[in-house]
Short mmCIF file of all heavy atoms in Angstrom, two decimals:
data_model
loop_
_atom_site.label_atom_id
_atom_site.label_comp_id
_atom_site.label_asym_id
_atom_site.label_seq_id
_atom_site.Cartn_x
_atom_site.Cartn_y
_atom_site.Cartn_z
N LEU A 109 38.51 -5.35 -230.60
CA LEU A 109 39.83 -4.98 -230.09
C LEU A 109 39.88 -4.84 -228.57
O LEU A 109 40.97 -4.73 -228.00
CB LEU A 109 40.31 -3.67 -230.72
CG LEU A 109 40.50 -3.66 -232.23
CD1 LEU A 109 41.20 -2.38 -232.67
CD2 LEU A 109 41.28 -4.86 -232.72
N CYS A 110 38.74 -4.84 -227.90
CA CYS A 110 38.76 -4.68 -226.44
C CYS A 110 39.66 -5.76 -225.83
O CYS A 110 39.46 -6.96 -226.04
CB CYS A 110 37.34 -4.79 -225.86
SG CYS A 110 37.33 -4.84 -224.07
N GLY A 111 40.66 -5.32 -225.07
CA GLY A 111 41.66 -6.25 -224.53
C GLY A 111 41.10 -7.32 -223.63
O GLY A 111 41.72 -8.36 -223.41
N ARG A 112 39.94 -7.07 -223.09
CA ARG A 112 39.37 -8.00 -222.12
C ARG A 112 38.24 -8.83 -222.69
O ARG A 112 37.51 -9.47 -221.93
CB ARG A 112 38.85 -7.19 -220.94
CG ARG A 112 39.69 -7.35 -219.74
CD ARG A 112 39.17 -6.57 -218.59
NE ARG A 112 39.21 -7.42 -217.43
CZ ARG A 112 39.02 -7.01 -216.20
NH1 ARG A 112 38.74 -5.76 -215.96
NH2 ARG A 112 39.10 -7.85 -215.19
N ASN A 113 38.07 -8.82 -224.01
CA ASN A 113 36.95 -9.57 -224.58
C ASN A 113 36.98 -11.05 -224.22
O ASN A 113 35.94 -11.69 -224.13
CB ASN A 113 36.90 -9.40 -226.10
CG ASN A 113 36.10 -8.18 -226.51
OD1 ASN A 113 35.56 -7.49 -225.66
ND2 ASN A 113 36.02 -7.92 -227.80
N PHE A 114 38.18 -11.58 -224.01
CA PHE A 114 38.25 -13.01 -223.66
C PHE A 114 37.56 -13.30 -222.34
O PHE A 114 37.15 -14.43 -222.08
CB PHE A 114 39.72 -13.49 -223.63
CG PHE A 114 40.51 -12.91 -222.49
CD1 PHE A 114 40.55 -13.53 -221.26
CD2 PHE A 114 41.23 -11.73 -222.64
CE1 PHE A 114 41.27 -12.99 -220.20
CE2 PHE A 114 41.96 -11.18 -221.61
CZ PHE A 114 41.98 -11.81 -220.38
N GLU A 115 37.41 -12.28 -221.50
CA GLU A 115 36.75 -12.47 -220.21
C GLU A 115 35.23 -12.31 -220.32
O GLU A 115 34.51 -12.53 -219.36
CB GLU A 115 37.24 -11.42 -219.21
CG GLU A 115 38.56 -11.72 -218.58
CD GLU A 115 38.85 -10.76 -217.42
OE1 GLU A 115 38.08 -10.74 -216.45
OE2 GLU A 115 39.83 -10.03 -217.50
N TYR A 116 34.78 -11.85 -221.47
CA TYR A 116 33.35 -11.60 -221.64
C TYR A 116 32.73 -12.67 -222.52
O TYR A 116 33.42 -13.41 -223.22
CB TYR A 116 33.13 -10.20 -222.20
CG TYR A 116 33.66 -9.10 -221.31
CD1 TYR A 116 34.29 -7.98 -221.83
CD2 TYR A 116 33.54 -9.20 -219.91
CE1 TYR A 116 34.78 -6.97 -220.99
CE2 TYR A 116 34.03 -8.20 -219.07
CZ TYR A 116 34.65 -7.09 -219.63
OH TYR A 116 35.12 -6.11 -218.80
N LEU A 117 31.39 -12.69 -222.53
CA LEU A 117 30.72 -13.82 -223.14
C LEU A 117 30.31 -13.60 -224.60
O LEU A 117 30.58 -14.45 -225.45
CB LEU A 117 29.49 -14.18 -222.31
CG LEU A 117 29.83 -14.80 -220.93
CD1 LEU A 117 28.74 -14.54 -219.91
CD2 LEU A 117 30.08 -16.30 -221.06
N SER A 118 29.65 -12.50 -224.88
CA SER A 118 29.04 -12.42 -226.21
C SER A 118 28.77 -10.99 -226.65
O SER A 118 28.82 -10.06 -225.85
CB SER A 118 27.73 -13.20 -226.19
OG SER A 118 27.08 -13.13 -227.43
N GLU A 119 28.48 -10.84 -227.93
CA GLU A 119 28.00 -9.55 -228.44
C GLU A 119 26.47 -9.47 -228.31
O GLU A 119 25.89 -8.43 -228.57
CB GLU A 119 28.39 -9.38 -229.91
CG GLU A 119 27.65 -10.32 -230.86
CD GLU A 119 28.14 -10.25 -232.31
OE1 GLU A 119 29.28 -9.82 -232.54
OE2 GLU A 119 27.36 -10.64 -233.21
N ASP A 120 25.86 -10.58 -227.94
CA ASP A 120 24.40 -10.63 -227.85
C ASP A 120 23.97 -10.62 -226.37
O ASP A 120 24.41 -11.46 -225.58
CB ASP A 120 23.87 -11.90 -228.52
CG ASP A 120 22.37 -11.94 -228.44
OD1 ASP A 120 21.72 -11.30 -229.29
OD2 ASP A 120 21.83 -12.58 -227.51
N PRO A 121 23.08 -9.70 -226.01
CA PRO A 121 22.70 -9.57 -224.60
C PRO A 121 21.99 -10.79 -224.03
O PRO A 121 22.18 -11.14 -222.86
CB PRO A 121 21.77 -8.36 -224.57
CG PRO A 121 21.64 -7.86 -225.94
CD PRO A 121 22.48 -8.67 -226.87
N LEU A 122 21.18 -11.46 -224.86
CA LEU A 122 20.45 -12.62 -224.34
C LEU A 122 21.42 -13.76 -224.01
O LEU A 122 21.38 -14.34 -222.93
CB LEU A 122 19.41 -13.10 -225.37
CG LEU A 122 18.57 -14.27 -224.91
CD1 LEU A 122 17.53 -13.82 -223.88
CD2 LEU A 122 17.86 -14.96 -226.08
N LEU A 123 22.31 -14.03 -224.95
CA LEU A 123 23.28 -15.12 -224.74
C LEU A 123 24.19 -14.79 -223.55
O LEU A 123 24.41 -15.64 -222.68
CB LEU A 123 24.10 -15.33 -226.03
CG LEU A 123 25.04 -16.52 -226.05
CD1 LEU A 123 24.33 -17.83 -225.74
CD2 LEU A 123 25.75 -16.62 -227.40
N ALA A 124 24.69 -13.55 -223.50
CA ALA A 124 25.58 -13.16 -222.40
C ALA A 124 24.82 -13.23 -221.07
O ALA A 124 25.34 -13.74 -220.07
CB ALA A 124 26.12 -11.75 -222.62
N GLY A 125 23.59 -12.75 -221.07
CA GLY A 125 22.81 -12.73 -219.83
C GLY A 125 22.48 -14.13 -219.33
O GLY A 125 22.64 -14.44 -218.15
N LYS A 126 22.04 -14.99 -220.24
CA LYS A 126 21.63 -16.34 -219.84
C LYS A 126 22.84 -17.16 -219.38
O LYS A 126 22.75 -17.90 -218.39
CB LYS A 126 20.97 -17.08 -221.01
CG LYS A 126 19.64 -16.49 -221.42
CD LYS A 126 18.53 -17.04 -220.55
CE LYS A 126 17.19 -16.49 -220.98
NZ LYS A 126 16.11 -16.79 -220.05
N MET A 127 23.96 -17.06 -220.11
CA MET A 127 25.14 -17.82 -219.70
C MET A 127 25.67 -17.28 -218.37
O MET A 127 26.05 -18.05 -217.48
CB MET A 127 26.23 -17.73 -220.78
CG MET A 127 25.88 -18.40 -222.10
SD MET A 127 25.56 -20.17 -221.98
CE MET A 127 27.21 -20.82 -222.09
N GLY A 128 25.68 -15.95 -218.24
CA GLY A 128 26.13 -15.35 -216.98
C GLY A 128 25.26 -15.82 -215.82
O GLY A 128 25.75 -16.20 -214.76
N ALA A 129 23.94 -15.81 -216.04
CA ALA A 129 23.01 -16.21 -214.97
C ALA A 129 23.25 -17.66 -214.56
O ALA A 129 23.22 -18.01 -213.38
CB ALA A 129 21.58 -16.03 -215.47
N SER A 130 23.52 -18.49 -215.54
CA SER A 130 23.70 -19.90 -215.25
C SER A 130 24.99 -20.14 -214.45
O SER A 130 25.03 -20.97 -213.53
CB SER A 130 23.75 -20.64 -216.58
OG SER A 130 23.48 -21.95 -216.38
N PHE A 131 26.02 -19.41 -214.82
CA PHE A 131 27.29 -19.50 -214.08
C PHE A 131 27.05 -19.10 -212.62
O PHE A 131 27.48 -19.78 -211.68
CB PHE A 131 28.31 -18.56 -214.74
CG PHE A 131 29.63 -18.50 -214.04
CD1 PHE A 131 30.61 -19.44 -214.29
CD2 PHE A 131 29.89 -17.49 -213.11
CE1 PHE A 131 31.84 -19.38 -213.63
CE2 PHE A 131 31.10 -17.42 -212.45
CZ PHE A 131 32.08 -18.36 -212.72
N ILE A 132 26.31 -18.01 -212.43
CA ILE A 132 26.03 -17.51 -211.08
C ILE A 132 25.26 -18.57 -210.27
O ILE A 132 25.60 -18.89 -209.13
CB ILE A 132 25.21 -16.19 -211.17
CG1 ILE A 132 26.10 -15.09 -211.75
CG2 ILE A 132 24.64 -15.79 -209.81
CD1 ILE A 132 25.35 -13.84 -212.20
N THR A 133 24.26 -19.16 -210.91
CA THR A 133 23.47 -20.19 -210.22
C THR A 133 24.39 -21.34 -209.78
O THR A 133 24.26 -21.86 -208.67
CB THR A 133 22.38 -20.73 -211.18
OG1 THR A 133 21.63 -19.63 -211.63
CG2 THR A 133 21.49 -21.74 -210.51
N GLY A 134 25.32 -21.70 -210.65
CA GLY A 134 26.23 -22.81 -210.32
C GLY A 134 27.12 -22.47 -209.14
O GLY A 134 27.19 -23.23 -208.16
N VAL A 135 27.78 -21.34 -209.18
CA VAL A 135 28.69 -20.97 -208.09
C VAL A 135 27.90 -20.86 -206.79
O VAL A 135 28.28 -21.43 -205.75
CB VAL A 135 29.38 -19.60 -208.37
CG1 VAL A 135 30.23 -19.17 -207.18
CG2 VAL A 135 30.23 -19.66 -209.64
N GLN A 136 26.77 -20.15 -206.84
CA GLN A 136 26.03 -19.86 -205.60
C GLN A 136 25.35 -21.11 -205.03
O GLN A 136 25.03 -21.13 -203.85
CB GLN A 136 25.05 -18.71 -205.84
CG GLN A 136 25.83 -17.42 -206.12
CD GLN A 136 25.02 -16.14 -206.21
OE1 GLN A 136 25.60 -15.08 -206.27
NE2 GLN A 136 23.72 -16.22 -206.24
N SER A 137 25.19 -22.15 -205.85
CA SER A 137 24.61 -23.39 -205.31
C SER A 137 25.55 -24.00 -204.26
O SER A 137 25.15 -24.83 -203.47
CB SER A 137 24.37 -24.41 -206.44
OG SER A 137 25.63 -24.87 -206.93
#
Side-chain angles (χ1 to χ4, degrees):
L109 299 190
C110 172
R112 252 181 135 169
N113 272 359
F114 69 88
E115 280 190 61
Y116 299 140
L117 290 153
S118 178
E119 69 186 23
D120 181 82
L122 182 75
L123 186 56
K126 292 276 181 190
M127 294 299 275
S130 200
F131 177 85
I132 292 166
T133 305
V135 176
Q136 294 187 171
S137 69

